Structure formats: structure tokens, C-alpha cells
Amino acid sequence: MFQLEKHNSSFKKELTAGFTTFFTMAYIMVVNPLILLDAGVPFQQSFTATVIAAMLGTLIMGLYANYPIAIAPAMGLNAYFAYSVVKTNQGLDYHIAFSAVFVAGILFVILSLTPLRSKLIEAIPNNLKHAITAGIGLFIAFLGLRMSGLITAHPSNLVALGDLHSPSVILALIGLLITLIFYSLNINGALFFGMILTGLIAFLTGQLQFTNGFVSMPTLPEGILVSNPVTAFREVIEYGLYSVVFSFLLVTLFDTTGTVLGVAEQAGLMKGNKLPRAERALLSDSVATLFGSMLGTSPTSAYVESASGVAAGGRTGLTAVFIALLLGIGAFFGPLISAVSGLSAITAPSLIIVGSLMVGSVRHINWELPDEAFPAFLVLLSMPLTSSIATGISLGFISYPLMKILRGKWRQVHPLVYLFGVLFAIQLIAVPH
């Protein structure tokens, strides 16, 4: 079913990759409910909804599409849901906001059942594809540096070197060194074993503590929040949530498309300019978004942390199946997951190393032609600096056709690139970020 031999993989590699990706993304099980709590969503409701949506999307990705990619509620979209949709609109509670997510999910599923999304992958210029992969690498490396405290906010220079005397920073540096040693020695599962050893050091030094125990029972205190499509569409029309639906749809579309492309290229799963089983891969997040909105979580997306599992040897959907199983088990170990994922020094070294591997895609970019180089540069620069994969892709889609027009090469641009360039321009100008 998973064709392990064909992909030069094994059960052990896929299992290790599943654990690696799970531990690097487990923070979402706690962070997502905490963000949605600011919108009034009960923590336990969104915690369980997060797990179920992530499990469902990841299982579809593994069993139906056979890719080692995890699906979970997207960081950024959860903040947009909480702060830009619910808290800034008087009289709009989270139940109505989830109707907008539900409508976006329905439209997303319909869109995923058409050839448009796979055609879009083929339409993206090769240089932008390589830039997306490298940009994602910079983004997750920057994320790892920021999470670990190795870099920190600076009032005049935006970022600066962190406090190298901080216990968490020292732990992150030790974890990075340990993981690099494992990786340099070509030890299978170097990233995973690096996290295990770093976690053990954290526990022995008192930085990792389990004050709330280990086990808790997942529940959905409010049950199903949205289930009637007619009611959901009526509420979107009544409250004028068109721009909200549009934003969820467009950002999720390109967030997942970009991540799937980047991780698939890193894993060597691209076939020329095409992604095999693209429709199946891209259906997973749309189904997860739809069912997640019914239970109480914001839109889902392919998770960039999946690259850590690929770096650990994951090449097939078996990795995703293991991730889904671990998510299900994790639902009963909320306090334990919270403690481990709350100490970023454990997972940050893996993100930094994976980022360095993905940045290697810049060697495929044609830097000699300005109409190819500048859009790629914008993607590379904007992803880490805006902390948004979708923003980086949008700037690439806007600048690429503009540069081609200025160079008199407008016929070389696929019509879909023009279409989405205009849509992204509208979205960036009209929708708050």
C-alpha cells in the first residue's frame, strides 16, 4: 500500500519520521486552543477539535495520498480568526465565525475535487517553486531560532541575538550540538534522538516539569457547533463575512499548496513539474478544515514541520499514519504534551537543521534573469520576515507577472498566475493582516 521499497524507506524509518514530525508540531495541540480561548472558545472544546481535525486530515494525507505530511490548524489563521474576525467585530461570537470557516471548508472541498488545484501546481513557475521550498526553510529556521530564544525582538533593529546565559538558550544550543553530531554521523532518526536526549537533559536540570500530571480525558463540552450548511451560508450573508471566507479560502489554498510542494521536493517526490496524486494530497486539508469548523477549530493546513520527518527518512504515507496515531494518543496526554511542547528548546534545533537543508533549493533558481530572480528573492525574504508562507507566495505571484510584463515576456506567464496575482493583490490590500 505504501510502497516502502519503491521509496527506499522502511517501517523503522517511517516510524522514526512520524515521531519526529509529531514532536516538532505537538505544540499546536496546546497553542491553538490558547489562541482560540481569546475568542471565547472553551479550551477543552478547541483542544479536542484540534486533535480530531489534525488526525482526520493527516490520515487522509497518509492513506489516500501516500505522503509523509501532517495536517493541523494553521498558525496565523487561528490568530486571524480570534483577533481580526471575532474580537474586532462587535456582536460577532465564535459560533458565527465558525460558520464562515464552515462555508470556506465547503468551498474548499468543492475546489479540491476539481482539477484547478493540481493545475495550479503545474502553473507555478519552477523558480517560484524552488523559492517556496527555500523560503519555507528560512521560515522554519527563523521559527526555531525565535522559539529557542537564540534570537529575540529588538526595539530598533527588529531582531537581535538572545541572552546566551539563559538556561533555555543554553539548552537549545546543547540540543543543536547533540543533533548535529547525530546528523553528521549519519544516524537514522538523528533529529528524533536529538529531541529525546535534549528532553532528558531538560528533565534532569529541572527545566522540564510535569506539574499537572500526565493524563486527561478529551471532551467536547459544547458538542458540534456548526452542522447546517444553509444556516452557515445565511449567517455569512447576514453578517457580511465575505472577506473572511475569501481570506480563509485563499490563504489556506496557498499555505497548503506551498508546504506540500516544498516538502515533496525535499523528499524527492516531485515528478518533473508535477506532483503525483496532487488532488488527493490537497483534499486532506479541505476535509479537515470542514470537519474542524464543525467541532470548534480554525482552518487547517499542511504543516511545515513535516519537513523534519522527511529529514528523518519519512517518504510515504505511513509516516502520516503514525503521526495521526500519535495525535490520537496525545489527546489523552494533554498535560504531558503541554509540558514538552511548552519547552521550545527541545524542538527548535530540529527546525533549524531542517531549515538549512531546505534552503539548498536556491541553487536551482536562475539568478541571472531579473524577471526570475526578483520574485524568487521576494518569496525568500518575506516568508521568514512576515512569519507567513502565504504572504511570501502572494508577493511572488504578484511580482512574477509584473516583472514578465516589464520585460516584454507576458506571454510566458500562465493565465492562472495572472488570476491569482490579482486575487492576492486584492486580498493584501482589502483584508487586514
Side-chain angles (χ1 to χ4, degrees), residues 292-314:
S293 67
M294 295 172 65
L295 299 175
T297 189
S298 48
T300 61
S301 177
Y303 250 55
V304 70
E305 286 85 353
S306 303
S308 63
V310 168

Side-chain angles (χ1 to χ4, degrees), residues 23-25 27 140-150 168-169 171-173 175-176 179 191 194-195 198 305 308 340-341 343-355:
F23 279 114
T24 55
M25 67 172 284
Y27 68 87
I140 62 176
F142 182 67
L143 180 64
L145 290 169
R146 193 177 64 196
M147 286 168 52
S148 65
L150 285 168
S168 61
V169 173
L171 178 64
L173 288 172
L176 182 60
T179 310
L191 302 180
M195 284 190 286
T198 305
E305 286 85 353
S308 63
V340 175
S341 62
L343 189 58
S344 300
I346 296 175
T347 56
S350 292
L351 297 180
I352 296 168
I353 293 171
V354 171

Side-chain angles (χ1 to χ4, degrees), residues 318-361:
L318 185 56
T319 292
V321 171
F322 284 132
I323 296 168
L325 291 174
L326 290 169
L327 284 165
I329 295 170
F332 296 91
F333 291 89
L336 174 63
I337 298 297
S338 178
V340 175
S341 62
L343 189 58
S344 300
I346 296 175
T347 56
S350 292
L351 297 180
I352 296 168
I353 293 171
V354 171
S356 73
L357 299 176
M358 297 186 72
V359 168
S361 291

